[in-house]
Amino acid sequence: MSKALPTRSENYSEWYNELVKRADLAENSAVRGCMVIKPYGYSIWEKMQRALDDMFKETGHTNAYFPLFIPKSYLSKEASHVEGFAKECAVVTHYRLKNDPDGKGVIVDPDAKLEEELIVRPTSETVIWSTYKNWIQSYRDLPLLINQWANVVRWEMRTRLFLRTAEFLWQEGHTAHSTSAEAIAETKQMLEVYAEFAEQWMALPVVKGIKTANERFAGAEDTYCIEALMQDGKALQAGTSHFLGQNFAKAFDVKFQDKEGKLEHVWGTSWGVSTRLMGALIMAHSDDSGLVLPPKLAPIQVVIVPIYKNEEQLAAITEKVNEIRKELKTLGISVKFDDSDAYKPGYKFAEYELKGVPVRLAIGARDLENGTVEVARRDTKTKETVALEGIAGFVRDLLDNIQQAIYDKAFAFREENTTKVDSFEEFNKVLDSKGGFILAHWDGTSETEEKIKEETKATIRCVPLNATEESGVCIYSGKPSTKRVVFARAY
Amino acid sequence: MSKALPTRSENYSEWYNELVKRADLAENSAVRGCMVIKPYGYSIWEKMQRALDDMFKETGHTNAYFPLFIPKSYLSKEASHVEGFAKECAVVTHYRLKNDPDGKGVIVDPDAKLEEELIVRPTSETVIWSTYKNWIQSYRDLPLLINQWANVVRWEMRTRLFLRTAEFLWQEGHTAHSTSAEAIAETKQMLEVYAEFAEQWMALPVVKGIKTANERFAGAEDTYCIEALMQDGKALQAGTSHFLGQNFAKAFDVKFQDKEGKLEHVWGTSWGVSTRLMGALIMAHSDDSGLVLPPKLAPIQVVIVPIYKNEEQLAAITEKVNEIRKELKTLGISVKFDDSDAYKPGYKFAEYELKGVPVRLAIGARDLENGTVEVARRDTKTKETVALEGIAGFVRDLLDNIQQAIYDKAFAFREENTTKVDSFEEFNKVLDSKGGFILAHWDGTSETEEKIKEETKATIRCVPLNATEESGVCIYSGKPSTKRVVFARAY
């Protein structure tokens, strides 16, 4: 608390790292690349989970749980899937330790070698489709609409808290359908669910789009995504929804008998969001004083700090505060009364700013006399004096306003930082000056996409779903193009 | 569905295995000992989680998340802990696969060997206490009251769905305190939480007790437990709460400065319940027709089945049913209307019996005329005709009655199957005839306990917390004893 945060303009990356730690969101563990999600950070994640889970259930999905371990041979069954994940698999080879005969510690028991090595799931398509084979016989068993909340492991070499960690928490939906059209509709539906969650709960405007072949999920026919813009002008992929075609059904021989009695391979989808969303939430809204949390995801929505000179004043304030707390709770608003005497009000103010509590009420003896309270909002860092009469309703409306204001601010930022360019020179100039989303024509080839990536580190984030037909020429190759795609440097 | 379940009296073990599969609770996966928890089973677990999580939060705990992997060397830091877990650890040794030069598959890349092997957590004391070291400096940081919901892996050689699986889901609470007394109070508080959950939610009467030294958690000073009795007369440990003393604080050098400025080691607790509770729930209440679920944990509390001869009748019934569903939902009761025409009512009745739906309503055309409905309760398999007027309130009260009746039945069963014995001969006789809980005097030595176990396969489940002082002699050694302990054969 004593030292100020690095500022975003000084060092955005340091600002992020420090903020994650100081706001008690997460920290690195003793195991390289694995994080500890601290209670305050986890309580935000729990709110995300609850909201998403409700949305999944409203759209007809149920939860289940599949094993952590995947037999090594399963990965190989879908060719591009193994290609995509083999390089980052944590492998279990033994199932027992024994005392080290030469020392005090323990060693891996060489006699306890597994017949077939097990992979710690990097994603669960293979283990789930091998299970679906037994669950699906007839069209009556379809659609199968299942989600799981789980931990997964991808052995990344360069990790960053929330954004890229060796182990992360996520949900992965895996559905099976009798037609291609139905599976595609499901893929798109879940993209809409993610977009709605990002915008309504995280106050995060997103571009909905489709990935190019290069950026597609390993094993998918099409990958849909939502892309968000961070304050440093870099993009962050916030969720993906994959149309798997019949790839996994073929790899695991999952067939169903249709109404006419014909055997057909099943059509599949998978879709996921992860604790990476925590990174997006932090990077999109927070400022040099700390976190800025949208009220809908804030573990504490309102903090009340008493300002007092003696016990008598504190007692009178506490009595009034208890009334206010009760009213706020009735409205479903979470509130904390910080009457600890260990710290001064100024210290507490800074602490709750750092933690991103959306609304702070400060009440002193004079406020009681005047029937007022000082209301501070975190997002704008503005204060006003408000009548105690009707304060609960005022706070409820204020929280709604803040939720909207945070979204509007992020939306305006994205608008300001979305640029149409028509030449590669302009492309480079924008990229190096302000970054952001760059809308440009592209010739549709992987070759051009890769060359642009090599030269600029920018990638095609997506082909936006709402892109209008517009004839133009590729900024790199000069070949004809019919719509603009979104380029950006990305997390 | 076509073949009847094995009966409990025929083959209790087969009955359990088949029931778990046929009621769509869980199944074995391709990985030895790891289970797939199917949607219906998982929805019961979700209800357990929600209820427990609320109770943990009400008692001041917050959730967090710690890494899946534990460096091998950490396990060795607490001597009895490593002794207890080394023999069942899944070990990650490599972090990459590569194409097999001789074939189509993938092999473990020998160049991607980890410097230090990682253990897939069998329990998280070591990784958590290594983290707490940095979180705790002063008495102001205490108590630290944290829980996590997670998967853990213990490489068991003989596994059974829910009861003993290589991977299972659980929660593990890990708390740190400034005094021994406070840590013991926490240990006991969480035991009470578990007992309340078992009795109020699972309708499962439990004996609260303390484990003998032999059965203690590896690394604990004392292990408290709740023990339940299954219908085959075997005991099942349903939850444990451990007083860790300063063992892990010393192993990981976790000290705090007390109010006087003196450095002291911290006192710890840990406590957990797992998906094993699913096994207890099934075994305690279910019958030869299938699951019997206490209403508070039933995913579907009420199913409504229409009895109709033509579309017109179905339409009239549906209209009435929609009213009833609305009323039931207003009362917070989950209800399913099964109007599918794929199956006949009799088939549906059997299906919902198998799934343990507590209340079934059947409505036919004549019921509509008479203003009645047939109400069947799953636990007693009794039916009655009830007026449609006020049916929602009737069902609400019935669900409450069923919850209590299931508990009462299990309680009566336990009472009937709890026997005081005063000789080893009698002990053996009871054990081999009906089993159950056997209350007997024991001399307090591990030696006697082990001999009894070798000869009878019965173990001391616990020294009950409510045991009254009573002088007697050990049934095995004849040495003096001051109270009776609970013996049983156990899962």
Side-chain angles (χ1 to χ4, degrees):
Chain A
M1 275 303 298
S2 43
K3 230 177 74 192
L5 274 178
T7 65
R8 288 164 293 171
S9 57
E10 258 170 32
N11 189 335
Y12 190 83
S13 174
E14 243 342 271
W15 165 81
Y16 174 79
N17 294 343
E18 277 298 303
L19 177 53
V20 169
K21 281 177 223 166
R22 293 209 212 165
D24 284 333
L25 300 175
E27 64 182 39
N28 288 307
S29 79
V31 177
R32 210 190 57 75
C34 292
M35 68 180 157
V36 172
I37 306 179
K38 299 179 80 172
Y40 192 66
Y42 198 84
S43 64
I44 300 171
W45 174 242
E46 278 182 306
K47 284 186 167 264
M48 289 185 174
Q49 283 188 300
R50 185 68 65 96
L52 283 163
D53 198 66
D54 286 346
M55 293 167 94
F56 298 156
K57 283 174 178 157
E58 267 166 37
T59 44
H61 303 85
T62 53
N63 290 326
Y65 187 76
F66 296 86
L68 172 68
F69 297 132
I70 300 176
K72 192 191 63 180
S73 58
Y74 277 34
L75 268 198
S76 315
K77 295 203 177 186
E78 213 290 330
S80 57
H81 192 67
V82 66
E83 182 74 22
F85 287 103
K87 292 198 182 85
E88 50 190 39
C89 284
V91 190
V92 176
T93 56
H94 292 74
Y95 57 84
R96 194 167 63 214
L97 300 175
K98 66 172 194 175
N99 288 327
D100 182 355
D102 300 329
K104 273 190 190 172
V106 279
I107 56 167
V108 177
D109 186 341
D111 294 336
K113 198 169 184 314
L114 291 170
E115 263 181 57
E116 179 178 2
E117 296 93 345
L118 299 172
I119 308 307
V120 182
R121 63 182 163 219
T123 179
S124 300
E125 277 76 7
T126 56
V127 70
I128 287 179
W129 281 89
S130 77
T131 308
Y132 281 1
K133 179 175 168 56
N134 301 316
W135 293 3
I136 298 168
Q137 272 88 40
S138 138
Y139 69 93
R140 288 181 199 273
D141 301 319
L142 298 172
L144 191 55
L145 305 173
I146 294 182
N147 174 62
Q148 87 169 346
W149 290 95
N151 53 344
V152 286
V153 171
R154 296 178 187 177
W155 209 263
E156 304 272 3
M157 282 299 145
R158 297 172 69 180
T159 62
R160 265 186 99 182
L161 291 169
F162 291 124
L163 297 172
R164 195 172 294 275
T165 47
E167 180 193 17
F168 55 91
L169 303 184
W170 79 342
Q171 60 67 218
E172 46 181 325
H174 296 271
T175 71
H177 307 264
S178 54
T179 66
S180 168
E182 194 184 294
I184 292 172
E186 165 79 7
T187 312
K188 288 180 177 169
Q189 173 186 248
M190 298 323 291
L191 189 78
E192 290 299 329
V193 164
Y194 288 156
E196 188 187 332
F197 172 75
E199 303 200 333
Q200 298 298 312
W201 290 80
M202 296 176 65
L204 187 67
V206 291
V207 172
K208 292 178 277 192
I210 197 159
K211 289 281 180 195
T212 61
N214 271 354
E215 305 278 332
R216 209 176 271 154
F217 174 74
E221 293 288 309
D222 263 322
T223 287
Y224 292 76
C225 61
I226 51 171
E227 296 282 331
L229 188 60
M230 303 294 102
Q231 292 178 71
D232 61 347
K234 284 169 81 173
L236 188 145
Q237 174 183 299
T240 49
S241 183
H242 315 295
F243 170 58
L244 304 176
Q246 296 174 310
N247 295 344
F248 286 91
K250 285 180 177 165
F252 290 90
D253 192 30
V254 185
K255 289 180 183 164
F256 74 104
Q257 196 161 38
D258 68 14
K259 284 184 188 174
E260 284 73 43
K262 218 172 63 184
L263 271 182
E264 297 260 25
H265 280 112
V266 168
W267 300 83
T269 86
S270 66
W271 29 275
V273 296
S274 74
T275 35
R276 193 161 212 245
L277 288 181
M278 292 287 296
L281 185 74
I282 299 159
M283 282 203 169
H285 305 311
S286 300
D287 65 21
D288 296 343
S289 307
L291 282 181
V292 172
L293 293 176
K296 283 189 185 179
L297 294 177
I300 304 165
Q301 295 176 306
V302 179
V303 63
I304 308 179
V305 178
I307 317 286
Y308 59 96
K309 292 200 181 101
N310 52 51
E311 285 303 309
E312 200 185 333
Q313 285 187 355
L314 178 60
I317 293 168
T318 302
E319 201 184 325
K320 190 70 205 171
V321 166
N322 286 341
E323 285 173 32
I324 301 172
R325 288 166 74 182
K326 212 172 141 188
E327 287 172 43
L328 288 172
K329 280 184 184 166
T330 307
L331 297 177
I333 294 166
S334 62
V335 50
K336 176 176 175 176
F337 178 41
D338 185 352
D339 61 350
S340 84
D341 58 1
Y343 301 104
K344 295 238 190 299
Y347 181 95
K348 293 179 184 176
F349 288 4
E351 178 71 18
Y352 294 112
E353 266 181 18
L354 179 64
K355 294 276 184 83
V357 176
V359 171
R360 180 185 78 220
L361 306 184
I363 306 186
R366 194 177 300 167
D367 288 306
L368 281 190
E369 275 170 37
N370 298 342
T372 58
V373 54
E374 186 192 82
V375 179
R377 56 187 281 182
R378 173 63 185 89
D379 62 330
T380 55
K381 298 186 79 174
T382 51
K383 291 191 279 198
E384 60 183 316
T385 300
V386 174
L388 275 169
E389 181 78 30
I391 186 66
F394 179 88
V395 167
R396 180 196 52 206
D397 295 345
L398 181 59
L399 288 169
D400 289 345
N401 289 345
I402 293 172
Q403 182 80 28
Q404 187 62 45
I406 294 176
Y407 177 84
D408 291 345
K409 191 178 172 190
F411 186 82
F413 176 83
R414 190 187 74 185
E415 291 299 291
E416 281 160 29
N417 290 282
T418 299
T419 316
K420 280 191 190 180
V421 308
D422 290 312
S423 71
F424 194 54
E425 190 192 344
E426 210 186 337
F427 181 89
N428 277 303
K429 214 170 102 184
V430 172
L431 204 56
D432 291 335
S433 56
K434 65 179 195 173
F437 285 159
I438 304 183
L439 301 173
H441 280 284
W442 161 63
D443 63 19
T445 69
S446 291
E447 200 193 343
T448 297
E449 187 182 5
E450 274 159 22
K451 280 186 179 156
I452 293 176
K453 186 178 174 181
E454 270 167 38
E455 292 183 32
T456 68
K457 288 184 184 156
T459 51
I460 299 178
R461 302 316 304 152
C462 65
V463 182
L465 294 187
N466 66 0
T468 47
E469 291 287 314
E470 176 196 313
S471 68
V473 295
C474 173
I475 51 161
Y476 193 85
S477 68
K479 287 182 191 157
S481 150
T482 59
K483 53 184 159 184
R484 291 174 187 271
V485 298
V486 178
F487 282 92
R489 290 191 182 130
Y491 281 97
Chain B
M1 274 304 299
S2 43
K3 230 178 72 189
L5 272 178
T7 65
R8 287 163 294 171
S9 58
E10 260 170 32
N11 189 335
Y12 191 83
S13 173
E14 242 344 271
W15 165 81
Y16 173 79
N17 293 343
E18 277 299 305
L19 178 53
V20 169
K21 282 176 222 167
R22 293 211 210 161
D24 284 334
L25 301 175
E27 64 183 40
N28 289 307
S29 79
V31 177
R32 209 191 56 78
C34 292
M35 66 181 159
V36 173
I37 306 178
K38 299 178 80 172
Y40 193 65
Y42 198 84
S43 64
I44 300 172
W45 174 243
E46 278 182 304
K47 284 186 168 266
M48 289 186 174
Q49 284 188 299
R50 185 69 64 97
L52 283 165
D53 198 66
D54 286 347
M55 292 168 94
F56 299 157
K57 283 174 178 158
E58 267 166 36
T59 43
H61 303 85
T62 53
N63 290 326
Y65 189 75
F66 296 86
L68 172 67
F69 297 133
I70 299 176
K72 192 190 62 179
S73 58
Y74 277 35
L75 267 198
S76 315
K77 295 205 177 183
E78 212 289 330
S80 57
H81 192 69
V82 66
E83 183 75 21
F85 288 103
K87 293 200 183 83
E88 49 190 42
C89 284
V91 190
V92 176
T93 56
H94 293 74
Y95 57 84
R96 194 166 63 216
L97 300 174
K98 65 172 194 176
N99 288 328
D100 181 355
D102 299 331
K104 272 190 187 172
V106 278
I107 57 167
V108 177
D109 186 341
D111 294 336
K113 197 169 185 313
L114 290 170
E115 264 182 57
E116 179 178 3
E117 296 93 346
L118 297 172
I119 308 307
V120 182
R121 63 182 163 217
T123 180
S124 301
E125 277 77 7
T126 55
V127 70
I128 288 179
W129 280 90
S130 77
T131 308
Y132 281 2
K133 181 176 167 55
N134 300 316
W135 292 4
I136 298 169
Q137 273 88 42
S138 135
Y139 68 93
R140 289 182 199 272
D141 301 321
L142 299 173
L144 190 57
L145 304 173
I146 293 182
N147 175 64
Q148 86 169 347
W149 290 95
N151 54 343
V152 286
V153 171
R154 296 178 189 178
W155 208 263
E156 303 272 3
M157 281 301 146
R158 299 172 68 179
T159 62
R160 267 186 96 183
L161 290 169
F162 290 126
L163 297 171
R164 197 172 293 276
T165 47
E167 181 193 16
F168 55 90
L169 303 184
W170 80 343
Q171 61 67 218
E172 47 182 324
H174 296 270
T175 71
H177 306 265
S178 53
T179 66
S180 168
E182 194 185 294
I184 291 172
E186 166 80 6
T187 312
K188 289 179 177 170
Q189 172 186 249
M190 299 323 290
L191 188 78
E192 290 299 329
V193 164
Y194 288 155
E196 188 187 332
F197 173 74
E199 304 199 333
Q200 298 298 312
W201 289 80
M202 297 176 64
L204 187 67
V206 291
V207 172
K208 292 176 278 192
I210 197 158
K211 289 282 181 195
T212 60
N214 272 354
E215 303 279 332
R216 209 175 271 154
F217 174 75
E221 293 287 310
D222 263 321
T223 287
Y224 292 77
C225 62
I226 52 172
E227 297 282 330
L229 188 60
M230 304 295 100
Q231 292 179 73
D232 61 347
K234 284 170 81 174
L236 188 146
Q237 173 182 300
T240 48
S241 183
H242 316 294
F243 168 58
L244 303 175
Q246 294 175 311
N247 294 344
F248 286 91
K250 285 179 179 166
F252 289 91
D253 193 30
V254 185
K255 289 180 183 165
F256 74 103
Q257 195 161 39
D258 68 14
K259 284 186 188 173
E260 284 73 43
K262 218 170 65 184
L263 271 181
E264 298 258 25
H265 279 112
V266 168
W267 300 82
T269 85
S270 66
W271 28 276
V273 296
S274 74
T275 37
R276 192 159 212 248
L277 288 179
M278 292 287 296
L281 186 75
I282 298 159
M283 283 205 168
H285 305 310
S286 299
D287 64 23
D288 296 343
S289 306
L291 280 182
V292 172
L293 292 176
K296 283 190 185 178
L297 293 178
I300 304 164
Q301 295 175 305
V302 178
V303 64
I304 308 180
V305 178
I307 317 287
Y308 60 96
K309 295 202 180 99
N310 52 51
E311 286 302 310
E312 200 186 332
Q313 286 187 354
L314 178 61
I317 293 168
T318 302
E319 200 185 325
K320 190 71 205 172
V321 166
N322 286 340
E323 284 173 32
I324 300 172
R325 289 166 73 183
K326 211 172 141 187
E327 287 172 43
L328 287 172
K329 280 185 185 165
T330 307
L331 297 177
I333 295 167
S334 61
V335 52
K336 176 176 174 175
F337 178 41
D338 185 351
D339 61 350
S340 84
D341 58 1
Y343 301 104
K344 296 238 191 295
Y347 181 96
K348 292 180 184 174
F349 289 4
E351 178 72 17
Y352 294 112
E353 266 180 20
L354 181 63
K355 294 276 183 86
V357 176
V359 171
R360 179 185 78 220
L361 306 183
I363 306 187
R366 193 177 303 167
D367 288 307
L368 279 190
E369 275 170 32
N370 299 341
T372 58
V373 55
E374 186 192 83
V375 180
R377 56 187 279 183
R378 173 64 186 90
D379 61 330
T380 55
K381 298 185 77 174
T382 51
K383 291 192 279 200
E384 60 183 315
T385 301
V386 174
L388 273 170
E389 180 78 31
I391 186 66
F394 179 88
V395 166
R396 180 197 50 205
D397 295 345
L398 181 59
L399 288 169
D400 288 345
N401 290 343
I402 293 172
Q403 181 80 28
Q404 187 62 44
I406 294 177
Y407 177 84
D408 291 345
K409 191 178 173 192
F411 186 81
F413 177 82
R414 190 186 75 183
E415 291 299 291
E416 281 159 29
N417 291 282
T418 299
T419 316
K420 278 189 189 179
V421 308
D422 290 310
S423 71
F424 194 53
E425 192 192 341
E426 210 187 337
F427 181 88
N428 277 303
K429 215 170 100 185
V430 173
L431 204 56
D432 290 335
S433 57
K434 65 179 194 175
F437 285 158
I438 304 183
L439 301 174
H441 281 284
W442 160 63
D443 63 19
T445 69
S446 291
E447 200 192 344
T448 297
E449 186 182 7
E450 274 160 22
K451 280 185 178 156
I452 293 175
K453 185 177 176 183
E454 270 167 38
E455 292 182 31
T456 69
K457 288 185 185 157
T459 50
I460 299 177
R461 303 316 303 154
C462 66
V463 182
L465 294 187
N466 66 359
T468 47
E469 292 286 315
E470 175 195 313
S471 68
V473 293
C474 173
I475 51 160
Y476 193 84
S477 68
K479 287 181 191 158
S481 150
T482 58
K483 53 185 160 184
R484 290 173 188 273
V485 299
V486 179
F487 282 92
R489 289 192 183 128
Y491 281 97

